[in-house]
């Protein structure tokens, strides 16, 4: 089975722009979670989707949003980019339905905001 | 205070040594995860556990729900075990909260 894929792998944007990141889960996995990793804050939870429904959201401003499609692929969007949004954005998928389950991580998208 | 505390933050060992990384948490949980991250970013799930002990090869994870504590052990450590090890919890003892809260990680370096 193919693993979790994320596109693009690297992205450079300027302040004020918006960005959309994509995540394709492992085939059959319906849960997709998004995480932000920075040197200062470490890993932080952004949101989790299951069957197109957001089941939980982390403590991030409304500029961070996401969605999941009927084929379980997920996108996250960050609007009005700030320098502090520079980070590695990871998504993970899970087979579990009643809980979060074991997380299978993608390689991440490294976003640099100039 | 962080909900998830790991110790030590940094650990250097000689090849072959037995290694223990500790994780303490302050809230009720439905599950605890141990993750491994190599330089370059890729994260791999090592264990997900809610009670007792699990073993996979040279890796052993234990959890004590009453004491809110988990340990990750590596037997016969090898330089390829050098990585950051991250503890994460799903913080809701009544059932999954569908989110993870992470520790800051332990940087392990195993010298040949």
């Amino acid at each position: 089975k193919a693993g979790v894929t994320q596109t693009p792998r690297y992205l450079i944007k300027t302040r004020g722009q918006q960005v959309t990141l994509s995540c394709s889960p492992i085939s059959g996995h319906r849960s997709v979670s998004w995480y932000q990793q920075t040197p200062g804050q470490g890993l932080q939870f952004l949101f989790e989707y299951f069957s197109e429904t957001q089941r939980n959201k982390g403590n991030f401003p409304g500029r961070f949003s996401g969605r999941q499609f009927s084929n379980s692929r997920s996108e996250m969007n960050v609007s009005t980019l700030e320098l502090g949004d520079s980070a590695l954005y990871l998504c993970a998928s899970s087979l579990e339905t009643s809980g979060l389950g074991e997380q299978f991580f993608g390689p991440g998208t490294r976003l640099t905001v100039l | 205070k962080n909900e998830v505390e790991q110790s030590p933050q940094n650990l250097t060992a000689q090849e072959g040594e037995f290694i223990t990384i500790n994780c303490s948490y302050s809230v009720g949980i439905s599950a605890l995860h141990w993750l491994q991250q190599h330089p370059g970013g890729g994260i791999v799930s090592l264990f997900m556990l809610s009670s007792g002990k699990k073993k996979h090869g040279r890796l052993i994870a234990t959890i004590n729900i009453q004491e809110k504590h988990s340990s990750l052990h590596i037997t016969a450590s090898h330089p390829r075990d050098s990585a950051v090890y991250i503890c994460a919890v799903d913080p809701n003892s009544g059932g999954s909260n569908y989110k993870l809260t992470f520790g800051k990680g332990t940087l392990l370096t195993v010298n040949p």
Side-chain angles (χ1 to χ4, degrees):
Chain A
K1 262 187 187 176
V4 178
T5 58
Q6 291 187 246
T7 56
R9 292 291 311 277
Y10 301 91
L11 206 48
I12 299 175
K13 292 284 188 178
T14 56
R15 278 180 300 173
Q17 288 187 308
Q18 68 94 27
V19 67
T20 299
L21 312 181
S22 180
C23 172
S24 292
I26 292 171
S27 178
H29 288 197
R30 290 158 62 190
S31 167
V32 174
S33 298
W34 286 91
Y35 304 97
Q36 181 197 63
Q37 186 176 37
T38 59
Q41 297 297 318
L43 274 162
Q44 296 184 89
F45 169 80
L46 280 159
F47 17 69
E48 191 266 357
Y49 290 90
F50 179 84
S51 290
E52 302 180 68
T53 298
Q54 185 183 88
R55 294 195 291 192
N56 207 340
K57 187 179 192 304
N59 295 325
F60 281 82
R63 301 185 296 106
F64 290 80
S65 63
R67 59 179 175 167
Q68 186 181 34
F69 302 95
S70 58
N71 62 357
S72 294
R73 190 177 70 85
S74 178
E75 288 180 348
M76 67 162 281
N77 184 276
V78 188
S79 62
T80 319
L81 284 166
E82 300 178 0
L83 295 179
D85 298 332
S86 294
L88 179 66
Y89 290 88
L90 293 149
C91 80
S93 72
S94 167
L95 187 59
E96 190 67 39
T97 56
S98 60
L100 195 55
E102 182 180 8
Q103 301 284 279
F104 293 84
F105 285 83
T109 294
R110 188 164 295 280
L111 171 65
T112 302
V113 182
L114 302 176
Chain B
K1 184 180 187 299
N2 289 336
E3 287 183 332
V4 183
E5 298 278 357
Q6 284 187 238
S7 62
Q9 284 187 303
N10 293 281
L11 182 54
T12 300
Q14 288 299 121
E15 183 173 355
E17 285 185 358
F18 181 85
I19 287 160
T20 295
I21 299 170
N22 296 298
C23 176
S24 296
Y25 52 92
S26 57
V27 297
I29 66 168
S30 60
L32 182 143
H33 300 244
W34 281 104
L35 310 171
Q36 179 193 56
Q37 185 172 31
H38 282 285
I43 295 180
V44 174
S45 173
L46 298 175
F47 297 101
M48 184 182 78
L49 63 166
S50 54
S51 65
K53 177 179 175 178
K54 287 189 176 180
K55 185 175 189 287
H56 184 250
R58 296 181 293 106
L59 302 179
I60 303 166
T62 64
I63 188 168
N64 185 318
I65 295 294
Q66 287 71 34
E67 295 186 4
K68 294 186 169 61
H69 181 269
S70 176
S71 293
L72 176 68
H73 305 286
I74 305 175
T75 62
S77 60
H78 190 276
R80 66 174 174 267
D81 297 325
S82 298
V84 175
Y85 292 83
I86 302 167
C87 171
V89 301
D90 187 347
N92 184 354
S93 58
S96 178
N97 212 22
Y98 309 113
K99 67 174 285 187
L100 290 181
T101 300
F102 297 88
K104 296 292 187 187
T106 296
L107 175 60
L108 171 65
T109 303
V110 182
N111 295 317

